[in-house]
Amino acid sequence: MTQSTSQETVAEFIAISKQFHQAMLVTRSADGKLSARPMIIAQFEDDGDLWFATDVHSGKVDDLTADPQVAVTMSGGGSYVSISGQARVVSDRQKIDELWNESWKVWFPEGKSDPRLTLINVTASQGEYWSNSGIDRFQFLFNAAKAYATGQRPKLDDSHHAKVKL
């Protein structure tokens, strides 16, 4: 599959991605090992970039110092998204104020001013989605059953799966 830059495909990717509130952030440590961690999405921007809140002393911050390349994955409700990009740690108090969510107080008891609170910004370079939600889910199930009965693989079009350059 080729990578699409069409506005329609990128818009579909963004629309599917914005349905998610949680993601898995995959980082690489200094010794080369991959780690995936569940994260709450603080903000998903219209260009595919993401923001997460984290503790400045967390292992993921150490990983990003060693290697800023990350992957972010999301799934649910018949939709799946993968984003690749570069991450950076951002300690901008104005951005923290903008993104602050009261539920973060569980992890940062001092609130917005907690000195351990920092942000991770992922600048997306490419993404990929697979979507079998809503009416598309029924169409996919029908095509899958038809493929099974005929011994052929189901055909997917760009409305179900696409790679996008962000």
Side-chain angles (χ1 to χ4, degrees):
M1 167 166 278
T2 59
Q3 209 172 57
S4 175
T5 56
S6 82
Q7 287 183 342
E8 184 178 303
T9 304
V10 171
E12 179 70 10
F13 171 82
I14 298 297
I16 291 169
S17 298
K18 283 189 171 186
Q19 296 173 20
F20 297 102
H21 303 288
Q22 300 175 9
M24 294 294 287
L25 175 65
V26 183
T27 60
R28 184 181 307 277
S29 64
D31 64 1
K33 293 186 176 140
L34 295 174
S35 293
R37 300 166 180 89
M39 302 287 290
I40 300 296
I41 300 168
Q43 184 176 47
F44 192 98
E45 297 181 357
D46 289 338
D47 59 2
D49 291 358
L50 295 127
W51 290 88
F52 300 103
T54 193
D55 188 315
V56 72
H57 302 296
S58 70
K60 66 186 94 48
V61 170
D62 294 338
D63 289 355
L64 296 175
T65 301
D67 184 350
Q69 292 290 328
V70 297
V72 178
T73 63
M74 299 168 266
S75 67
S79 294
Y80 309 86
V81 172
S82 172
I83 297 171
S84 298
Q86 294 254 15
R88 62 188 177 101
V89 178
V90 178
S91 296
D92 179 344
R93 289 290 153 198
Q94 185 174 345
K95 188 67 175 179
I96 289 171
D97 284 346
E98 176 190 330
L99 297 179
W100 174 256
N101 185 311
E102 192 63 26
S103 67
W104 296 357
K105 205 163 183 180
V106 170
W107 301 106
F108 305 102
E110 296 176 39
K112 295 178 195 181
S113 62
D114 195 311
R116 296 173 307 133
L117 174 58
T118 194
L119 301 171
I120 294 173
N121 175 231
V122 176
T123 302
S125 57
Q126 68 179 20
E128 189 167 3
Y129 72 86
W130 300 260
S131 181
N132 295 317
S133 61
I135 193 72
D136 289 338
R137 186 178 195 99
F138 293 112
Q139 182 181 5
F140 174 78
L141 292 173
F142 173 77
N143 288 336
K146 182 177 163 187
Y148 178 80
T150 62
Q152 298 176 2
R153 294 177 58 107
K155 292 184 175 126
L156 298 177
D157 60 29
D158 284 349
S159 68
H160 297 281
H161 176 225
K163 290 182 183 181
V164 296
K165 176 122 178 78
L166 300 167

